[in-house]
Amino acid sequence: MDLPAVTILSLGGTIAMTQGETGGVVPTLTAEALVGAVPQLQQVARVKAQSYRQLPSAHLRFEDIEALAASLRHLAGAGERGFVITQGTDTIDETAFALDCLYDLDVPLVVTGAMRHPTLPGADGPANLLAAVQVAASPAARGLGCLVVMNDEVHAARYVRKLNTSRPDAFASPACGRLGWLTEGRLRLASRLPDVPRVVSSPQPRPAQVALLPACLDDPGDMVRALLAAHAFDGLVIQAAGGGHVTAGLADALETAARSMPVVLASRTGSGDVLSSTYGYTGSEIDLLRRGLIRAGLLDGHKARVLLTLLLRHQGADPGAIAQAFQAWSNDHP
Ligand code: ASP
């Protein structure tokens, strides 16, 4: 049988960790070692392994993900039929979404990792890697953008969230549910997402810092004022309460911020659309949108920060283009 060519690129994370000298586990295993531990992979695909980074996922940077997206484009041009990225799970919900924003190919792309490191009983890395390759090798996964496969479940990168610190079932997509799952190694898709125009990659991204701040009870808005005074940021995402609500003081500070940078209104609830036309008091979503904030729609605060950062790095600060991108990525039809 002619098996599809799937390349596995490893970035580090728990799936690749072994005991270090300072007491805890640290990333040491290569992509070859990860592949060698799962002989069943050879029945699914012609697997190639490439060690790309060896980092805990908290150390990954936008530059790493941009370089990875460029490498994937190159490999796809050489005939690869699927990609699997292995990495730490702590930031998968951000890195997979960043990849998704930059990935404009039909070739299946799956990110996976492990919640239990290889030396623990019940280590989930090998099963997750096998499931990820099964999805990446499946023609049904073409054109779905970046997927996250963990615990035999298939999530869209744009909605997946890590919701537990240590359990193998830590991942879920609270905004709209998982896209599918695996049964006996076969991909079962329950839904598909609409296609979205990707961020147009620039060969020389500009540096851009986007702050992510939570709105809190009795918040006077001083954090936003301090941030503006620091002149260190190019954009801001505010995680407002409920459907997009803040205090009057914070609303004033956000209006000031929106005069000099894009300010995106997300919800700290972690699920559900930011509202647009329900509440009319000072600091409500209607008020904040009138003051110039951009709706994150269905994207949570962390993903909104990823999208805004990539837009600023690659496409610039045009407010119309930024608002349009948020509308598209949050599945928000006028
Ligand atoms: N706990 C993490 C993991 O699951 C560590 C990391 O994100 O690198 O891989």
Side-chain angles (χ1 to χ4, degrees), residues 12-15 17 55-58 87-91 114-115 162 165:
T14 296
I15 191 168
M17 290 198 190
L55 296 170
S57 70
Q87 69 154 88
T89 58
D90 289 352
T91 62
M115 295 298 295
K162 185 175 184 179
T165 53

Side-chain angles (χ1 to χ4, degrees), residues 130-308:
L130 180 58
V133 172
Q134 284 161 337
V135 173
S138 165
R142 285 185 74 80
L144 294 180
C146 184
L147 302 171
V148 172
V149 171
M150 293 288 295
N151 203 31
D152 279 345
E153 294 190 314
V154 182
H155 298 272
R158 69 182 91 159
Y159 299 129
V160 72
R161 291 171 63 101
K162 185 175 184 179
L163 296 178
N164 187 272
T165 53
S166 52
R167 286 203 318 251
D169 67 347
F171 284 83
S173 299
C176 54
R178 63 190 177 186
L179 288 190
W181 60 91
L182 288 111
T183 302
E184 296 177 328
R186 290 167 65 101
L187 170 61
R188 310 280 294 158
L189 276 178
S191 51
R192 293 182 78 90
L193 291 170
D195 201 16
V196 175
R198 267 41 197 187
V199 173
V200 182
S201 300
S202 150
Q204 267 164 345
R206 308 152 247 244
Q209 286 296 337
V210 175
L212 173 62
L213 290 181
C216 303
L217 183 70
D218 202 10
D219 186 335
D222 290 346
M223 289 234 287
V224 171
R225 289 186 195 93
L227 179 143
L228 290 176
H231 297 291
F233 293 93
D234 308 284
L236 167 64
V237 176
I238 185 82
Q239 288 176 308
H245 308 142
V246 303
T247 61
L250 180 51
D252 287 342
L254 291 169
E255 181 178 0
T256 308
R259 287 196 205 112
S260 60
M261 62 175 70
V263 180
V264 175
L265 178 63
S267 168
R268 69 183 194 186
T269 61
S271 171
D273 296 275
V274 172
L275 302 179
S276 60
S277 57
T278 302
Y279 294 97
Y281 52 84
T282 303
S284 68
E285 81 282 358
I286 292 178
D287 180 41
L288 292 172
L289 295 173
R290 269 197 203 124
R291 293 182 196 229
L293 273 66
I294 298 162
R295 274 180 76 218
L298 258 187
L299 296 180
D300 68 29
H302 285 82
K303 292 191 200 298
R305 176 179 171 273
V306 166
L307 178 56
L308 182 54

